[in-house]
Amino acid sequence: MPRSLKRLYRYTAYLCITLAAVSALLVLALRWIDPPSSMVIQAWQHHSSRAARQQWVPLARISPHLQMAVIASEDQKFPHHHGFDFGALQKALTEDRGRTRGASTITQQTAKNLFLWNGRNYVRKGLEAWFTLLMELLWPKERILEVYLNIAEFGNGVYGAEAAARHFYGTSAGRLNRWQAGLMAAVLPNPKRMSAQRPSRYVRSRAAAIQRQIRLLGGSAYLKGL
């Protein structure tokens, strides 16, 4: 093998190791440091030339009703998996409509929203998998859920549970009732088209289904398994 090619391989290996180490240190630091924003929020602000609505609050100040609603809606195996729900992924791939919502876990969604850009190319999916693994290794489940609920998009330019609760219902995230929490979780698949403030019949029916799923999961007692 030519010496120049060996040198290229060596530099590439060093670069990959360095990037892996830096990303691991970043994820580890964010176990204790609250991120001031996310890549998705920054992208929205750049394209809209507007300031997003977001206000960070700790998990203890987010209603257990909302915590359970997003788990029941987005990732019912969240306390038990290690970042990936392969059963849900296989089911999504075999659905006639090709819908993939529900295949991504809360951890995967957090990784994408916090660190990456929107898109479906293989590079982004690979990075999403890497950050998902790091978060599952370095963060407790409570931290993953806390970050998710503070950066998830609940409306156009409305990010995080606190900003959404105040914008839609004039209350804090900690005071959300069951129905309000269900409506907020119901719009997560497409918060730009669906509204938790003026819910359509579909959103109301989805919120009711989420409440039924919460009861099947055992209610807020389910959160003790995190």
Side-chain angles (χ1 to χ4, degrees), residues 113-153:
N113 292 341
L114 185 58
F115 297 111
L116 303 171
W117 61 94
N118 289 321
R120 295 182 178 275
N121 62 70
Y122 290 113
V123 173
R124 195 201 64 79
K125 294 300 291 184
L127 289 171
E128 178 187 303
W130 169 245
F131 280 109
T132 296
L133 287 171
L134 287 177
M135 289 164 57
E136 286 284 341
L137 285 170
L138 301 174
W139 294 4
K141 290 287 188 177
E142 293 92 336
R143 180 58 171 171
I144 296 172
L145 184 61
E146 180 179 57
V147 174
Y148 174 77
L149 287 171
N150 274 284
I151 65 173
E153 184 179 14

Side-chain angles (χ1 to χ4, degrees), residues 77-224:
K77 296 180 181 179
F78 176 64
H80 311 296
H81 63 61
H82 299 290
F84 305 94
D85 186 347
F86 296 105
L89 178 60
Q90 184 177 16
K91 181 179 178 181
L93 291 174
T94 57
E95 285 182 351
D96 291 339
R97 295 182 182 181
R99 293 177 62 186
T100 57
R101 190 67 183 184
S104 292
T105 64
I106 284 176
T107 314
Q108 287 176 277
Q109 293 179 51
T110 306
K112 176 182 72 67
N113 292 341
L114 185 58
F115 297 111
L116 303 171
W117 61 94
N118 289 321
R120 295 182 178 275
N121 62 70
Y122 290 113
V123 173
R124 195 201 64 79
K125 294 300 291 184
L127 289 171
E128 178 187 303
W130 169 245
F131 280 109
T132 296
L133 287 171
L134 287 177
M135 289 164 57
E136 286 284 341
L137 285 170
L138 301 174
W139 294 4
K141 290 287 188 177
E142 293 92 336
R143 180 58 171 171
I144 296 172
L145 184 61
E146 180 179 57
V147 174
Y148 174 77
L149 287 171
N150 274 284
I151 65 173
E153 184 179 14
F154 289 97
N156 190 23
V158 182
Y159 295 88
E162 183 71 12
R166 294 190 179 278
H167 180 65
F168 298 142
Y169 307 121
T171 189
S172 67
R175 293 182 177 273
L176 290 167
N177 61 37
R178 285 185 177 86
W179 184 242
Q180 291 167 337
L183 291 172
M184 286 176 58
V187 305
L188 284 172
N190 198 333
K192 288 183 173 65
R193 292 189 176 182
M194 295 186 284
S195 172
Q197 189 175 35
R198 294 178 295 277
S200 63
R201 179 181 299 179
Y202 171 76
V203 171
R204 292 195 300 270
S205 67
R206 181 172 165 81
I210 289 170
Q211 294 303 320
R212 291 193 294 271
Q213 289 298 313
I214 291 173
R215 289 193 291 273
L216 290 174
L217 291 173
S220 58
Y222 193 73
L223 296 173
K224 296 179 181 178

